Amino acid sequence: MCCIHKKEIQKSENWKRRATMSSPPAIVNLRMLFVCCILIAVKGGWDEEVGLLRRGGEQREFDYFKLALQWPGTYCRKTRHCCSSNACCTRSNSPSVFTIHGLWTEYNDGTWPSCCSGRPFDEKEISTLLEPMRKYWPSLSCGSPRSCHHKKGPFWGHEWEKHGTCAYPVVHDEYEFFLTTLNVYFKYNVTEVLFEAGYVPSNSEKYPLGGIISAIQNAFHTTPELVCSGDALEELRICFYKNFEPRDCAHDTSLRRSCPRYVSLPGNGSWGFRSNTTAAS
């Protein structure tokens, strides 16, 4: 079982933290101040210097985690343009295992918190994790998703700011969030379970949806969520208590309506795209 330990992956230095207080800008126009305060109270505002999302009313603590995994063969079929950040573009070296989409915080009523208090994403904080991150948590798109402070940024930044900041008190900072996610991914090895059950990449074979669900149930004692694109399996999601013991997800656990009775796991090279040095929108 592959696992990344804090002792094995040690930060090379203690990163200096930015100050947590900053002086508010002077606003002469009182009418502008009033409007600004209403916008922040209603929509929330991101303080880029302090790195805290300020909201009118705190979000309650989450109830459980959802580990979302994506099947690259299905995602990469949508690729039409190439860029350096898209792992689909490496062709022969493109991922042939389930890769991480994200570790999401969820509520039992089917909703979820997002964009909680936390610092903006800083890749330097996870410099010692970059090798496994690039391999097991790659971006499968040339697009740049919007982060909580309304600017486009990297895939990892989006996942940290939207979901990771809401994982307190289980995880406390960016480094711990990504390290924890990698360890959960390795411990509950979905690819290994499905391959051993005979569900392997194929551009011609189709597999019974119920068989894939049963393989995960037998291995981890939980029912996965499945999401399909056409007849191809696109995502597989497993839910966990806060101690990372498996549990069923809340609401429409199997999402069978998005998948047909028989699904495929497209292999590498089953997609076509044009090489391009610029990112596709």
Side-chain angles (χ1 to χ4, degrees):
M1 190 72 67
C2 180
C3 189
I4 301 177
H5 299 282
K6 289 186 178 181
K7 292 182 179 179
E8 296 173 0
I9 300 180
Q10 195 68 30
K11 291 187 179 181
S12 59
E13 62 176 324
N14 292 323
W15 303 104
K16 294 182 178 180
R17 302 296 184 187
R18 289 187 290 271
T20 58
M21 296 294 293
S22 60
S23 300
I27 301 178
V28 178
N29 191 317
L30 295 179
R31 185 176 181 181
M32 288 178 61
L33 175 61
F34 177 74
V35 172
C36 180
C37 289
I38 290 180
L39 288 174
I40 291 176
V42 173
K43 297 183 178 180
W46 186 271
D47 187 327
E48 294 184 50
E49 184 175 352
V50 179
L52 298 176
L53 186 68
R54 306 190 180 284
R55 291 182 177 275
E58 294 182 0
Q59 299 182 83
R60 72 181 189 274
E61 186 177 321
F62 72 100
D63 294 319
Y64 68 96
F65 284 108
K66 179 181 290 184
L67 178 67
L69 306 177
Q70 50 197 4
W71 180 250
T74 303
Y75 267 90
C76 291
R77 293 197 306 183
K78 305 173 184 178
T79 302
R80 293 296 177 267
H81 296 279
C82 209
C83 63
S84 60
S85 63
N86 188 346
C88 296
C89 297
T90 59
R91 279 197 178 274
S92 61
N93 292 324
S94 56
S96 58
V97 298
F98 279 93
T99 60
I100 301 169
H101 184 165
L103 183 66
W104 303 339
T105 50
E106 304 280 326
Y107 291 134
N108 286 324
D109 62 6
T111 62
W112 56 87
S114 64
C115 297
C116 302
S117 296
R119 296 178 181 274
F121 176 72
D122 182 357
E123 190 170 299
K124 292 193 301 292
E125 294 288 330
I126 56 169
S127 60
T128 56
L129 298 176
L130 290 181
E131 183 177 350
M133 290 280 292
R134 290 177 180 133
K135 185 174 182 179
Y136 300 110
W137 201 334
S139 171
L140 301 179
S141 169
C142 288
S144 299
R146 291 190 179 276
S147 296
C148 295
H149 50 289
H150 308 301
K151 291 183 179 180
K152 289 187 176 182
F155 173 46
W156 296 335
H158 171 80
E159 291 301 314
W160 158 246
E161 292 177 10
K162 183 177 180 180
H163 304 289
T165 57
C166 298
Y168 182 86
V170 178
V171 298
H172 302 83
D173 55 37
E174 178 187 321
Y175 177 82
E176 188 176 5
F177 171 70
F178 287 106
L179 177 66
T180 298
T181 304
L182 286 168
N183 277 331
V184 174
Y185 169 79
F186 290 132
K187 181 176 180 179
Y188 298 95
N189 193 326
V190 167
T191 304
E192 183 178 85
V193 168
L194 294 184
F195 282 15
E196 288 182 354
Y199 303 113
V200 297
S202 173
N203 295 324
S204 58
E205 193 76 21
K206 289 189 177 180
Y207 303 110
L209 183 69
I212 292 176
I213 293 174
S214 294
I216 299 300
Q217 288 175 327
N218 293 336
F220 304 137
H221 308 292
T222 183
T223 301
E225 286 185 349
L226 301 180
V227 179
C228 292
S229 176
D231 64 354
L233 183 60
E234 186 170 67
E235 290 209 357
L236 190 153
R237 303 166 183 169
I238 298 178
C239 294
F240 300 91
Y241 294 104
K242 293 179 184 179
N243 63 355
F244 294 105
E245 289 297 318
R247 55 157 281 175
D248 285 345
C249 305
H251 292 270
D252 196 14
T253 302
S254 66
L255 291 177
R256 293 170 190 250
R257 288 172 295 178
S258 79
C259 295
R261 291 181 61 189
Y262 288 84
V263 298
S264 62
L265 288 172
N268 288 349
S270 61
W271 53 88
F273 52 80
R274 297 188 298 274
S275 295
N276 194 345
T277 56
T278 58
S281 59

